[in-house]
Amino acid sequence: MEGDTMTVIAMGGGGFSMESTPWLDDLVLEEARRRNPRPRVAFLGTASGESENYLLRFYRAFGARAGSVQDISLFRRTGDLRSQILEQDVLYVGGGNTANMLAVWRLHGADAILAEAHARGVVLAGVSAGAMCWFEGGVTDSFGDLAVFEDGLGLLPGGLCPHYDEPGRRELFHAWAAKGPRTGHAADDGAALVFRPDAAPEAVATLPHAAAYRVTADASGTVTEERLPTRQLG
């Protein structure tokens, strides 16, 4: 089934690192089982400096439910990175510092390998930094204060703003869109967007108030925000 799914699950905030419910992680496994009934799931914790606590939570969340689990380290690199990435059904990217993560990926050539994995239909999933990295840009706190970020991988067009319900992020993301003019998507904590080929993004949520949005700007810089219909999980 290589290449026919090309799914990206972008979580504004949630999953095993932020929630007590497994519903967003269940969604990741559900998508992966379209490729493999016993999916191989790998975690990239680069953005957190490969925090041992984060890795432990990943293994607790997926260890008993996936066909195999592993973490792919770039700080303690061993083996062939390309093989480690491409043999997976899911690449789950954790949150943390987006700019640092992308710099390390590019230094090791992981950016090109991840693009190849996406083209082959490996499910790309992630939260916060691990959600925004697949797009052209968004809003980040990688440099301390919130700032517009325009150095993503660009596997998906436009931008993504995670944690959209946090103070200051909406305003900055609107400014990012108006500058283009550009189109982007945003997700609150407890919400995610599922991007599949030839389909409109699907919004899902684990919290009643959480939502996802499409943000567009016209040539005059006027920004329009559309709250997307949301499927409640769980």
Side-chain angles (χ1 to χ4, degrees):
M1 295 186 65
E2 289 186 353
D4 68 347
T5 51
M6 297 179 67
T7 299
V8 175
I9 301 174
M11 306 175 199
F16 71 88
S17 63
M18 294 183 65
E19 295 182 311
S20 60
T21 63
W23 299 328
L24 281 174
D25 301 326
D26 290 345
L27 177 67
V28 172
L29 290 172
E30 179 184 323
E31 289 291 328
R33 288 181 182 125
R34 297 171 61 192
R35 288 173 49 90
N36 182 351
R38 294 284 293 164
R40 298 157 294 184
V41 182
F43 181 67
L44 286 88
T46 321
S48 66
E50 298 175 2
S51 159
E52 291 186 6
N53 180 267
Y54 211 163
L55 297 180
L56 178 61
R57 285 182 286 166
F58 162 72
Y59 282 107
R60 285 175 174 169
F62 286 94
R65 298 193 294 156
S68 68
V69 292
Q70 71 175 96
D71 60 278
I72 297 177
S73 174
L74 296 179
F75 291 93
R76 298 174 296 277
R77 183 172 169 178
T78 59
D80 181 70
L81 182 62
R82 182 171 180 272
S83 297
Q84 291 173 347
I85 290 176
L86 294 183
E87 69 185 12
Q88 307 302 324
D89 299 301
V90 177
L91 295 165
Y92 195 125
V93 180
N97 189 302
T98 310
N100 288 358
M101 175 181 72
L102 288 168
V104 171
W105 282 0
R106 287 166 174 146
L107 182 64
H108 288 264
D111 55 334
I113 304 171
L114 289 166
E116 184 178 356
H118 178 56
R120 291 187 178 202
V122 176
V123 175
L124 306 180
V127 58
S128 190
M132 189 176 70
C133 62
W134 314 115
F135 298 79
E136 295 171 9
V139 174
T140 184
D141 58 1
S142 295
F143 307 102
D145 294 336
L146 287 175
V148 168
F149 185 76
E150 304 196 47
D151 195 26
L153 294 180
L155 301 184
L156 292 179
L160 181 89
C161 183
H163 311 299
Y164 196 55
D165 49 344
E166 292 184 359
R169 289 185 180 263
R170 175 179 265 105
E171 294 79 9
L172 271 176
F173 196 55
H174 285 200
W176 172 90
K179 183 180 177 181
R182 291 175 284 201
T183 297
H185 291 84
D188 296 334
D189 286 345
L193 286 150
V194 184
F195 295 84
R196 303 181 181 93
D198 304 319
E202 180 190 16
V204 298
T206 59
L207 299 172
H209 64 273
Y213 307 83
R214 184 172 184 264
V215 177
T216 58
D218 62 22
S220 71
T222 300
V223 176
T224 301
E225 178 184 285
E226 174 191 2
R227 181 172 174 144
L228 300 177
T230 302
R231 175 166 65 97
Q232 288 290 321
L233 302 179

